[in-house]
Amino acid sequence: MNALAPLVQSGAIPIDGCGSAPIVQERGQREVFCGLTGIVWLHRKIQDAFFLVVGSRTCAHLIQSAAGVMIFAEPRFATAILDERDLAGIADIDDELDRVVGRLLERRPDIKLLFLVGSCPSEVIKIDLKRAAARQSRNYAPRVRILSYSGSGIETTFTQGEDACLASLVPTLPGEAANAPHSLLVVGALADVVEDQFARLFDELGIAPARFLPMRRAADLPPVGPNTSYLLAQPFLGDTARALEERGAQRIAANFPLGEEGTTNWLRAAAQAFGVSDAHFDKATAPARARARQGVERHRATLAGKSIFLFPDSQLELPLARFVSRELSMRLIEVGTPYLHRQHMAPELDLLPDGVRITEGQHVDNQLDRCRAARPDLTVCGLGLANPLEAEGLATKWSIELLFTPVQGYEQAGDLAELFARPLTRRARLEV
Ligand code: SF4
């Protein structure tokens, strides 16, 4: 199920990064989930959307096992499995796909937005899903909007699925009305509870209108245009950001809202873009900041001074490294990221301690060797690496948990710290 890309080129090439941090480029075998994984959190977010993976049995197993907890819910994702008949080219794939979509929409009149999600098998790659989505959209308009994107492991790592999904939505957003006021668009899937907290904070700050992408209902597409300033809530949305800028929106550069400091910097960047005074900002955020600091403080004794090694997986690694080093005094050994968007990450790179090893890309064997040699107190990595490292006596944290758990914002800062503390306390208990 893991997408194992071919060995492209081994070795590491240091290049200059933003700020003073040198960034080492690594090329080799990768060990990450594919972009289909994003469906697991996206299907919960847009409540009347449906994700139809066009793929193989492997794809079906991946999302079923990753989303197993949702088994009793009304399913909002499925896999159209291409069987051998299709693969032999006997059936016309376009007709087959139209038939599957027709059957699905007939059975599920609640679906208002359907994503056709591409995958790896060569027969799927040959299908022009974009054209199929446009054709079907015409057939089912205006009842259902049909879009497509790729979640293939050849093209995407696991958080890039969300980027591809949101980027496919951007061209469908309505334009701003003439003379539209300056508006804020928060971009990136957040748990509803977190989104509600941020909406309240923007309201208290006097930042309005403040909207969110993805939206909760398919019909509530936020308008976009030159009076829109957008603020990324997730660090893996390079394509979505580009698509928004093509529509005239402007990015607010900021840290990501992880931890008390990250959340404050993120909100402050928005406040400054909307002319909110420092005094009002401080007054509106002070109680929540104090709660966040308290929440984090509870886990300091467990984590301060402990060493941590982050494998490249979710693209959350740089903001997480900033959080654990600055708010929990953990010692960074290595921070890997599958891709590094230098502009979006500049505020994070600026806050990392000098001399930390930052890598972009992956050569999994070399990274494992370095991790084993360093024997960190905590290793953040994908599921595939966690078990072997645990068996070797290393404490691990699954990076995917950081995506599935609400961790952004002030009220969640303590929970985020706890996610790092839990493997260490569990291990300490076992040792006792
Ligand atoms: Fe595997 Fe590719 Fe399907 Fe992902 S999209 S589950 S990597 S076959």
Side-chain angles (χ1 to χ4, degrees), residues 221-263:
L221 292 170
V224 67
N227 284 333
T228 306
S229 291
Y230 74 93
L231 185 60
L232 293 176
Q234 299 286 5
F236 40 74
L237 298 174
D239 287 351
T240 308
R242 215 176 8 256
L244 285 166
E245 282 167 22
E246 278 165 17
R247 300 284 310 268
Q250 289 146 47
R251 183 174 63 91
I252 300 173
N255 288 105
F256 291 92
L258 294 170
E260 187 271 323
E261 182 187 39
T263 303

Side-chain angles (χ1 to χ4, degrees), residues 1-3 34-36 56 58-60 62 118-121 151-154:
M1 282 189 231
N2 286 351
C34 64
L36 295 188
S56 63
T58 313
C59 309
L62 171 74
S119 63
C120 299
S152 153
I154 299 167

Side-chain angles (χ1 to χ4, degrees), residues 18 21 31 36 94 111 139 161 211 219 238 257 264 306 367 375 381:
C18 288
E31 210 283 342
L36 295 188
D94 279 343
I111 298 171
N139 289 347
R211 305 183 177 101
T264 301
K306 297 287 195 306
Q367 266 167 335
R375 293 205 65 80
C381 58

Side-chain angles (χ1 to χ4, degrees), residues 8-48:
V8 181
Q9 173 199 338
S10 30
I13 315 145
I15 58 159
D16 287 336
C18 288
S20 57
I23 292 152
V24 178
Q25 294 268 314
E26 291 219 306
R27 293 286 176 270
Q29 198 169 45
R30 298 186 288 140
E31 210 283 342
V32 286
F33 280 116
C34 64
L36 295 188
T37 326
I39 294 171
V40 177
W41 61 88
L42 286 168
H43 86 272
R44 281 187 253 181
K45 192 68 215 173
I46 315 176
Q47 289 156 15
D48 47 4

